[in-house]
């Protein structure tokens, strides 16, 4: 079965809290930047990790979004702050690696254990954005002390213990979402989940795109920029959003007009509205 056939047979709905569900489309390529380029070329926006997690939470366990892996432009970046403190940043917003051009640049400069180098200034910018929220109040940037990972496993762990792992809450975009995701994962895959990361502390900041896998892969924080990618894209244009909002009927419009127009003006307004509807 081709990727196109898969897309046609299995639709993935991505929850958008402000408007409605948005239909997602898969973009796969054995090159990360090329996958992202093809998505943008068709007018789509890549889904970040919190949205992808929401899509899984609301989907059936046998749906496409659960049965394959997906890459996101969310990142796990490791480095030192301007004060010299080692930290790990999880960012679910625009970042250095959310553009194909910068991913190509990172690859051309040479990957470090398959992680991409990012400028110190960009890393510090993300550090300074800690606590950034979207219009719905969802936190987008999380800062975690590097030392918290020293005694934390990278591999399969019990779902019941997962919230205590320093990666899980920032990876998924908040404690409440993480709780719901873990409950759904347990229903779909059982009592164990993969929580993966690698020690990326070097002389310069390193970053990796986050991905969601299946039972074994789980929460992937050690993604290889030199391998392939499968992004989920959505169209979120003003035109697309407005088309999903129910339009008022003529009777509803006329009912509102009664409160603002006199009898003579209302009669003329009603006649003109009915003419437009013919």
């Amino acid at each position: 079965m081709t990727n196109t056939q898969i897309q046609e047979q299995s639709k993935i709905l991505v929850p958008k809290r402000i408007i409605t569900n948005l239909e997602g489309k898969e973009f796969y390529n054995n090159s990360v930047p090329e996958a992202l380029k093809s998505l943008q070329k068709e007018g789509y926006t890549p889904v970040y990790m919190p949205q992808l997690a929401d899509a899984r939470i609301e989907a059936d366990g046998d749906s496409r979004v659960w049965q394959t892996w997906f890459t996101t432009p969310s990142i796990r970046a490791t480095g030192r702050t301007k004060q010299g403190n080692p930290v790990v940043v999880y960012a679910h917003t625009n970042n250095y690696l959310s553009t194909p051009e910068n991913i190509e640049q990172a690859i051309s400069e040479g990957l470090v254990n398959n992680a991409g180098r990012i400028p110190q200034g960009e890393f510090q910018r993300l550090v300074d954005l800690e606590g950034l929220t979207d219009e719905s109040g969802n936190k987008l940037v999380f800062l975690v002390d590097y030392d918290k990972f020293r005694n934390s496993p990278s591999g399969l762990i019990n779902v019941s213990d997962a919230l205590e792992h320093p990666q899980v809450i920032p990876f998924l975009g908040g404690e409440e979402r993480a709780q719901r995701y873990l409950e759904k994962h347990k229903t779909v895959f059982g009592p164990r989940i993969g929580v993966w990361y690698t020690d990326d502390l070097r002389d310069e900041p390193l970053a990796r795109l986050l991905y969601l896998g299946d039972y074994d892969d789980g929460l992937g924080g050690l993604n290889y920029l030199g391998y392939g990618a499968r992004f989920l894209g959505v169209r979120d244009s003003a035109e697309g959003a407005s088309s999903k909002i129910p339009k008022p009927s003529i009777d509803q419009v006329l009912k509102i007009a009664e409160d603002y127009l006199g009898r003579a003006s209302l009669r003329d307004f009603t006649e003109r509205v009915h003419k437009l509807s013919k």
Side-chain angles (χ1 to χ4, degrees):
M1 182 180 292
T2 67
N3 195 48
T4 300
Q5 290 172 322
I6 290 173
Q7 293 170 10
E8 292 175 348
Q9 294 182 15
S10 180
K11 296 180 179 179
I12 297 173
L13 295 181
V14 181
K16 188 174 190 304
R17 301 303 179 189
I18 296 177
I19 303 175
T20 183
N21 285 343
L22 304 173
E23 187 174 314
K25 180 179 178 180
E26 295 179 36
F27 293 85
Y28 173 82
N29 196 289
N30 58 11
S31 161
V32 177
E34 290 303 319
L36 198 51
K37 283 180 182 179
S38 62
L39 178 151
Q40 294 175 343
K41 185 177 181 180
E42 292 194 29
Y44 283 78
T45 300
V47 168
Y48 285 81
M49 184 56 69
Q51 287 177 290
L52 181 58
D54 284 342
R56 279 194 170 185
I57 290 168
E58 298 192 12
D60 293 332
D62 59 354
S63 65
R64 174 70 176 169
V65 73
W66 277 105
Q67 299 305 318
T68 191
W69 56 273
F70 285 97
T71 314
T72 74
S74 295
I75 64 169
R76 178 183 192 271
T78 305
R80 296 182 184 276
T81 66
K82 57 187 177 183
Q83 293 82 15
N85 301 319
V87 296
V88 180
V89 180
Y90 293 84
H92 308 295
T93 187
N94 292 340
N95 60 77
Y96 187 76
L97 294 184
S98 60
T99 69
E101 295 78 16
N102 286 342
I103 296 174
E104 289 176 332
Q105 178 67 22
I107 292 174
S108 69
E109 291 176 354
L111 301 177
V112 181
N113 194 21
N114 274 294
R117 296 178 172 91
I118 66 174
Q120 179 63 42
E122 167 64 9
F123 181 76
Q124 185 62 47
R125 183 185 72 85
L126 293 177
V127 169
D128 294 338
L129 287 176
E130 182 193 13
L132 176 72
T133 61
D134 63 15
E135 63 271 29
S136 299
N138 297 303
K139 190 174 178 180
L140 300 176
V141 180
F142 298 76
L143 197 61
V144 182
D145 192 323
Y146 168 81
D147 290 335
K148 287 189 175 182
F149 289 90
R150 289 188 181 277
N151 297 316
S152 300
S154 176
L156 285 173
I157 64 175
N158 293 328
V159 170
S160 58
D161 299 327
L163 276 181
E164 303 302 318
H165 195 289
Q167 174 158 281
V168 172
I169 291 175
F171 186 105
L172 292 168
E175 184 173 357
E176 189 271 338
R177 179 182 289 105
Q179 290 174 334
R180 291 187 292 118
Y181 183 85
L182 293 172
E183 290 172 2
K184 191 62 177 279
H185 174 96
K186 187 174 182 179
T187 300
V188 177
F189 291 130
R192 303 270 281 173
I193 185 172
V195 181
W196 303 94
Y197 73 94
T198 187
D199 184 354
D200 286 330
L201 188 63
R202 301 291 191 278
D203 293 333
E204 55 192 333
L206 299 177
R208 300 173 187 269
L209 300 179
L210 302 183
Y211 74 93
L212 275 184
D214 54 19
Y215 162 71
D216 289 328
D217 290 337
L219 312 184
L222 44 71
N223 193 38
Y224 291 178
L225 282 181
Y227 286 21
R230 177 183 287 108
F231 290 99
L232 184 61
V234 293
R235 279 204 176 103
D236 191 13
S237 65
E239 177 182 355
S242 62
S243 67
K244 296 177 182 295
I245 300 175
K247 296 180 179 179
S249 67
I250 291 177
D251 288 339
Q252 288 173 320
V253 171
L254 294 177
K255 182 65 176 177
I256 295 173
E258 290 179 5
D259 296 331
Y260 297 92
L261 300 176
R263 183 173 298 178
S265 297
L266 180 61
R267 186 185 307 114
D268 181 59
F269 178 79
T270 301
E271 290 177 357
R272 295 181 65 181
V273 168
H274 280 300
K275 286 180 181 179
L276 289 174
S277 66
K278 292 180 180 181

